[in-house]
Amino acid sequence: MKKEMSFVQRLTTSLLANQAITQKEADSVVAMFHDRAKGRVDNFLLDEGLVEREELLQALSQVYQVPYFDVNGYFFEHELLATFPRDILISKGIIPLQVDEDVLVVVASNPEDPELLDVIGHSVSYDIQFNVGIRRDIIEAIEEYYDQSIVLDDEDDYEDDESFEADEDDDMAEDIFDDEY
Protein backbone atom coordinates (compact mmCIF):
# COMPACT_ATOMS: atom_id res chain seq x y z
CA MET A 1 0.00 0.00 0.00
CA LYS A 2 1.45 3.35 -1.10
CA LYS A 3 1.69 6.06 1.55
CA GLU A 4 -0.24 9.22 0.68
CA MET A 5 1.82 12.39 0.35
CA SER A 6 1.19 15.19 2.84
CA PHE A 7 0.10 18.61 1.66
CA VAL A 8 3.60 19.99 2.30
CA GLN A 9 5.16 17.20 0.24
CA ARG A 10 2.69 17.80 -2.59
CA LEU A 11 3.35 21.54 -2.52
CA THR A 12 7.13 21.25 -2.44
CA THR A 13 7.03 18.65 -5.23
CA SER A 14 5.07 21.11 -7.37
CA LEU A 15 7.41 24.00 -6.49
CA LEU A 16 10.38 21.78 -7.39
CA ALA A 17 8.82 20.79 -10.71
CA ASN A 18 8.32 24.48 -11.50
CA GLN A 19 11.92 25.22 -10.44
CA ALA A 20 10.67 27.70 -7.85
CA ILE A 21 12.76 26.10 -5.08
CA THR A 22 15.78 23.82 -4.84
CA GLN A 23 15.79 20.24 -3.57
CA LYS A 24 17.59 21.41 -0.41
CA GLU A 25 14.90 24.06 0.25
CA ALA A 26 12.16 21.50 -0.40
CA ASP A 27 13.71 19.04 2.06
CA SER A 28 14.03 21.77 4.70
CA VAL A 29 10.43 22.88 4.28
CA VAL A 30 9.13 19.31 4.50
CA ALA A 31 11.20 18.69 7.64
CA MET A 32 10.05 21.93 9.32
CA PHE A 33 6.38 21.57 8.44
CA HIS A 34 5.95 17.83 8.72
CA ASP A 35 2.95 18.08 11.08
CA ARG A 36 1.88 21.72 10.67
CA ALA A 37 -1.09 23.41 9.04
CA LYS A 38 -1.01 24.48 5.39
CA GLY A 39 -1.49 28.18 6.11
CA ARG A 40 1.77 28.38 7.96
CA VAL A 41 3.63 26.82 5.04
CA ASP A 42 2.16 29.41 2.64
CA ASN A 43 3.13 32.27 4.94
CA PHE A 44 6.59 30.86 5.60
CA LEU A 45 7.40 30.44 1.92
CA LEU A 46 6.32 34.00 1.15
CA ASP A 47 7.72 35.66 4.28
CA GLU A 48 11.13 34.03 3.86
CA GLY A 49 11.22 35.01 0.19
CA LEU A 50 11.62 31.40 -0.91
CA VAL A 51 8.95 31.83 -3.58
CA GLU A 52 7.08 34.63 -5.29
CA ARG A 53 3.32 34.93 -4.90
CA GLU A 54 2.75 33.85 -8.51
CA GLU A 55 4.93 30.75 -8.06
CA LEU A 56 3.04 29.75 -4.93
CA LEU A 57 -0.32 30.24 -6.62
CA GLN A 58 0.76 28.14 -9.59
CA ALA A 59 1.95 25.37 -7.28
CA LEU A 60 -1.30 25.46 -5.28
CA SER A 61 -3.22 25.22 -8.53
CA GLN A 62 -1.25 22.13 -9.50
CA VAL A 63 -1.66 20.55 -6.06
CA TYR A 64 -5.45 21.05 -5.99
CA GLN A 65 -6.03 20.69 -9.74
CA VAL A 66 -8.12 23.90 -9.88
CA PRO A 67 -7.36 27.35 -11.33
CA TYR A 68 -5.73 29.86 -9.01
CA PHE A 69 -6.86 33.40 -8.31
CA ASP A 70 -4.79 36.17 -6.71
CA VAL A 71 -7.25 38.08 -4.52
CA ASN A 72 -4.81 40.95 -3.90
CA GLY A 73 -6.27 44.17 -5.24
CA TYR A 74 -9.46 42.56 -6.51
CA PHE A 75 -12.70 44.43 -5.81
CA PHE A 76 -15.20 41.83 -4.61
CA GLU A 77 -18.94 42.26 -5.07
CA HIS A 78 -20.42 43.53 -1.79
CA GLU A 79 -23.77 41.82 -2.29
CA LEU A 80 -22.08 38.49 -2.91
CA LEU A 81 -19.90 38.70 0.20
CA ALA A 82 -22.87 39.79 2.30
CA THR A 83 -24.57 36.50 1.37
CA PHE A 84 -22.16 34.63 3.66
CA PRO A 85 -21.52 35.04 7.38
CA ARG A 86 -18.14 36.68 8.04
CA ASP A 87 -17.04 34.04 10.55
CA ILE A 88 -17.69 31.24 8.04
CA LEU A 89 -15.68 33.00 5.32
CA ILE A 90 -12.76 33.49 7.69
CA SER A 91 -12.83 30.08 9.39
CA LYS A 92 -13.01 28.25 6.07
CA GLY A 93 -10.67 30.59 4.19
CA ILE A 94 -13.11 31.19 1.35
CA ILE A 95 -14.35 34.23 -0.53
CA PRO A 96 -17.02 34.30 -3.27
CA LEU A 97 -15.59 35.63 -6.50
CA GLN A 98 -18.42 35.80 -9.02
CA VAL A 99 -21.60 34.22 -10.27
CA ASP A 100 -21.53 33.00 -13.86
CA GLU A 101 -25.03 31.87 -14.83
CA ASP A 102 -25.81 29.14 -12.26
CA VAL A 103 -22.23 28.69 -11.06
CA LEU A 104 -20.69 30.45 -8.08
CA VAL A 105 -16.92 30.72 -8.30
CA VAL A 106 -15.33 30.61 -4.85
CA VAL A 107 -11.68 31.23 -4.02
CA ALA A 108 -10.66 28.78 -1.30
CA SER A 109 -7.41 28.29 0.54
CA ASN A 110 -8.19 24.56 0.70
CA PRO A 111 -10.53 23.45 -2.07
CA GLU A 112 -10.23 19.86 -0.79
CA ASP A 113 -11.96 20.71 2.52
CA PRO A 114 -14.79 18.15 2.61
CA GLU A 115 -17.10 20.56 4.48
CA LEU A 116 -16.96 23.41 1.96
CA LEU A 117 -19.85 22.39 -0.28
CA ASP A 118 -22.19 21.95 2.70
CA VAL A 119 -21.08 25.21 4.31
CA ILE A 120 -21.53 27.16 1.08
CA GLY A 121 -24.82 25.36 0.39
CA HIS A 122 -26.29 26.81 3.60
CA SER A 123 -26.07 30.29 2.04
CA VAL A 124 -26.61 29.74 -1.69
CA SER A 125 -28.00 27.15 -4.09
CA TYR A 126 -25.57 27.62 -6.99
CA ASP A 127 -23.30 24.95 -8.40
CA ILE A 128 -19.83 25.65 -7.02
CA GLN A 129 -16.54 25.96 -8.86
CA PHE A 130 -13.39 26.39 -6.80
CA ASN A 131 -10.30 28.41 -7.47
CA VAL A 132 -7.42 28.31 -5.02
CA GLY A 133 -5.92 31.34 -3.32
CA ILE A 134 -3.51 32.18 -0.53
CA ARG A 135 -5.27 31.99 2.84
CA ARG A 136 -3.88 35.15 4.40
CA ASP A 137 -4.77 37.15 1.28
CA ILE A 138 -8.32 35.76 1.39
CA ILE A 139 -8.65 36.67 5.08
CA GLU A 140 -7.28 40.18 4.45
CA ALA A 141 -9.80 40.70 1.62
CA ILE A 142 -12.67 39.58 3.86
CA GLU A 143 -11.55 41.81 6.72
CA GLU A 144 -11.09 44.74 4.35
CA TYR A 145 -14.61 44.26 3.03
CA TYR A 146 -16.14 44.12 6.51
CA ASP A 147 -14.01 47.03 7.76
CA GLN A 148 -15.15 49.08 4.75
CA SER A 149 -18.76 48.12 5.46
CA ILE A 150 -18.44 49.40 9.02
CA VAL A 151 -16.78 52.62 7.83
CA LEU A 152 -19.44 53.13 5.15
CA ASP A 153 -22.21 52.57 7.71
CA ASP A 154 -20.54 55.06 10.05
CA GLU A 155 -20.15 57.56 7.20
CA ASP A 156 -23.85 57.20 6.35
CA ASP A 157 -24.73 57.93 9.97
CA TYR A 158 -22.33 60.87 10.01
CA GLU A 159 -23.74 62.25 6.77
CA ASP A 160 -27.23 62.10 8.26
CA ASP A 161 -26.04 64.08 11.28
CA GLU A 162 -24.05 66.48 9.08
CA SER A 163 -27.00 67.25 6.84
CA PHE A 164 -29.07 68.12 9.90
CA GLU A 165 -26.34 70.44 11.18
CA ALA A 166 -25.88 71.94 7.71
CA ASP A 167 -29.60 72.80 7.58
CA GLU A 168 -29.28 74.58 10.92
CA ASP A 169 -26.22 76.49 9.68
CA ASP A 170 -28.09 77.52 6.51
CA ASP A 171 -30.98 78.83 8.62
CA MET A 172 -28.56 80.80 10.81
CA ALA A 173 -26.83 82.26 7.76
CA GLU A 174 -30.17 83.38 6.36
CA ASP A 175 -31.10 84.98 9.70
CA ILE A 176 -27.83 86.91 9.85
CA PHE A 177 -28.27 88.35 6.40
CA ASP A 178 -31.97 89.02 6.88
CA ASP A 179 -31.32 91.23 9.93
CA GLU A 180 -30.99 94.90 9.23
CA TYR A 181 -28.45 96.88 11.22
Side-chain angles (χ1 to χ4, degrees), residues 79-95:
E79 298 82 23
L80 198 51
L81 267 97
T83 305
F84 297 89
R86 177 181 190 253
D87 59 327
I88 295 295
L89 295 174
I90 290 174
S91 69
K92 290 298 180 183
I94 60 174
I95 190 165

Side-chain angles (χ1 to χ4, degrees), residues 98-105 126-129:
Q98 65 186 22
V99 175
D100 187 10
E101 296 183 17
D102 292 335
V103 177
L104 172 64
V105 179
Y126 296 108
D127 290 333
I128 307 300
Q129 175 188 327

Side-chain angles (χ1 to χ4, degrees), residues 71 76 81 95 136-145:
V71 301
F76 289 90
L81 267 97
I95 190 165
R136 73 173 173 193
D137 295 344
I138 293 169
I139 303 303
E140 285 174 12
I142 295 164
E143 289 174 345
E144 181 180 314
Y145 163 75

Side-chain angles (χ1 to χ4, degrees), residues 2 22-23 38 51 62-63 80 93 107 114 130-131 137 143-144 151 162 172 176-177:
K2 188 177 178 182
T22 65
Q23 183 65 53
K38 168 189 165 291
V51 298
Q62 291 169 348
V63 166
L80 198 51
V107 181
F130 289 111
N131 285 8
D137 295 344
E143 289 174 345
E144 181 180 314
V151 169
E162 235 179 19
M172 288 176 52
I176 292 171
F177 292 111

Side-chain angles (χ1 to χ4, degrees), residues 48-131:
E48 294 300 315
L50 292 174
V51 298
E52 297 295 322
R53 177 177 311 285
E54 183 77 14
E55 293 170 325
L56 179 58
L57 286 166
Q58 287 174 357
L60 290 169
S61 176
Q62 291 169 348
V63 166
Y64 291 116
Q65 297 296 298
V66 297
Y68 71 85
F69 187 84
D70 187 352
V71 301
N72 275 344
Y74 185 80
F75 184 74
F76 289 90
E77 296 177 37
H78 288 271
E79 298 82 23
L80 198 51
L81 267 97
T83 305
F84 297 89
R86 177 181 190 253
D87 59 327
I88 295 295
L89 295 174
I90 290 174
S91 69
K92 290 298 180 183
I94 60 174
I95 190 165
L97 179 60
Q98 65 186 22
V99 175
D100 187 10
E101 296 183 17
D102 292 335
V103 177
L104 172 64
V105 179
V106 175
V107 181
S109 63
N110 179 6
E112 292 178 345
D113 181 339
E115 298 176 353
L116 282 185
L117 290 176
D118 286 340
V119 167
I120 294 168
H122 287 319
S123 297
V124 296
S125 60
Y126 296 108
D127 290 333
I128 307 300
Q129 175 188 327
F130 289 111
N131 285 8

